[in-house]
Amino acid sequence: GRNIDKEMRDKAMKDGKPYVDHEGGCTIQPTAGFVIKTKDETGQKVFVNMVSHEMVDPPEEKHMPDTDQPAVRIPLSLGEIREDFDKKGDPCQVVDVIWNPKAVKKATKEPLYKQGLVELAFEYVKQKYEKTLDLQYSVPRMKYKGKTIQYQRVRAKKDPKIEQLDSKILTEEEQKEIQERSYSKVKEHETVVKQKKPDWKLF
């Protein structure tokens, strides 16, 4: 049988940079980050691998017109859902979500930011696969669920903004909606956190 993995690996890099093919897509192998363990509405166990790669843009803050709240856009790329088995050998499903390394790094330090990323990832899974994931999740002590980190094909845009290359691409509108919905949540979390800090006065 062909060694698909090796072919993908050879295709993924060219002169140490991600190789962009004629369709403007590039195959990348993200870096392990952390894992979210949850279940869907049928009770099926689902692992969400939160991985990172430079090809995905870092989070950006923008001021929204008509409001004094800054809005944050957090780009991500959602992979295919695949079947796997948990430690006990029971079937489970696994999906990889690629973020910019800055987002994953911040999430590992700030629990509420992590919560925001998880909610955002779950929203995307819901839109794309019509699968509702339970927000009562746990964070197992593992960096990645799966033997090797899956390659994922993302679109290299000129600047390079990332979009999934498959038939289930969410429209810009849907993405914007999800981002705005979830991001107001993260903002609320952040506000709450800020309020908890002691109010030192410096003289």
Side-chain angles (χ1 to χ4, degrees):
R2 290 160 50 195
N3 185 346
I4 302 281
D5 216 47
K6 183 174 183 325
E7 282 180 32
M8 292 286 267
R9 204 163 47 240
D10 294 344
K11 260 196 192 138
M13 294 302 268
K14 191 180 185 183
D15 312 323
K17 293 189 188 70
Y19 170 71
V20 178
D21 60 36
H22 64 283
E23 287 168 3
C26 67
T27 300
I28 57 175
Q29 186 180 34
T31 303
F34 58 95
V35 178
I36 298 299
K37 179 181 167 189
T38 184
K39 53 186 188 305
D40 64 18
E41 66 275 21
T42 67
Q44 162 92 298
K45 197 179 285 182
V46 180
F47 290 89
V48 182
N49 285 320
M50 306 287 257
V51 295
S52 68
H53 197 282
E54 290 289 346
M55 286 293 294
V56 177
D57 277 356
E60 53 178 336
E61 272 205 32
K62 281 196 184 121
H63 274 275
M64 300 298 284
D66 317 325
T67 155
D68 46 1
Q69 279 296 310
V72 185
R73 179 178 157 270
I74 305 191
L76 60 97
S77 179
L78 180 60
E80 294 301 321
I81 292 185
R82 57 189 187 273
E83 306 297 325
D84 203 334
F85 295 95
D86 66 10
K87 284 200 302 258
K88 298 191 199 109
D90 295 329
C92 63
Q93 289 185 319
V94 187
V95 64
D96 292 6
V97 183
I98 312 179
W99 310 88
N100 181 274
K102 284 190 180 125
V104 169
K105 197 172 171 186
K106 189 170 175 176
T108 52
K109 293 194 183 121
E110 301 177 25
L112 290 176
Y113 191 82
K114 178 184 272 184
Q115 169 87 20
L117 290 195
V118 172
E119 289 182 21
L120 192 53
F122 285 15
E123 282 279 356
Y124 271 71
V125 168
K126 186 175 181 176
Q127 287 271 342
K128 187 169 165 180
Y129 296 116
E130 294 172 2
K131 184 189 269 297
T132 304
L133 299 178
D134 189 345
L135 278 167
Q136 299 293 317
Y137 58 84
S138 61
V139 183
R141 285 188 167 191
M142 55 204 290
K143 289 192 161 181
Y144 190 82
K145 169 71 181 152
K147 287 183 188 64
T148 56
I149 300 182
Q150 294 273 322
Y151 283 87
Q152 196 163 311
R153 183 138 182 261
V154 295
R155 181 166 300 157
K157 290 191 180 173
K158 290 164 214 58
D159 48 359
K161 291 272 191 286
I162 295 300
E163 233 179 78
Q164 255 312 103
L165 273 185
D166 61 22
S167 57
K168 298 204 194 77
I169 286 179
L170 299 170
T171 65
E172 296 267 327
E173 273 304 296
E174 285 173 315
Q175 294 201 21
K176 215 173 107 210
E177 222 174 85
I178 290 176
Q179 292 275 353
E180 281 168 9
R181 265 210 310 277
S182 303
Y183 234 94
S184 59
K185 285 183 198 161
V186 173
K187 276 289 154 208
E188 281 160 27
H189 288 324
E190 283 184 3
T191 319
V192 171
V193 174
K194 283 184 184 128
Q195 286 165 356
K196 284 186 188 145
K197 286 184 184 149
D199 195 354
W200 302 119
K201 287 195 169 55
L202 297 171
F203 292 99

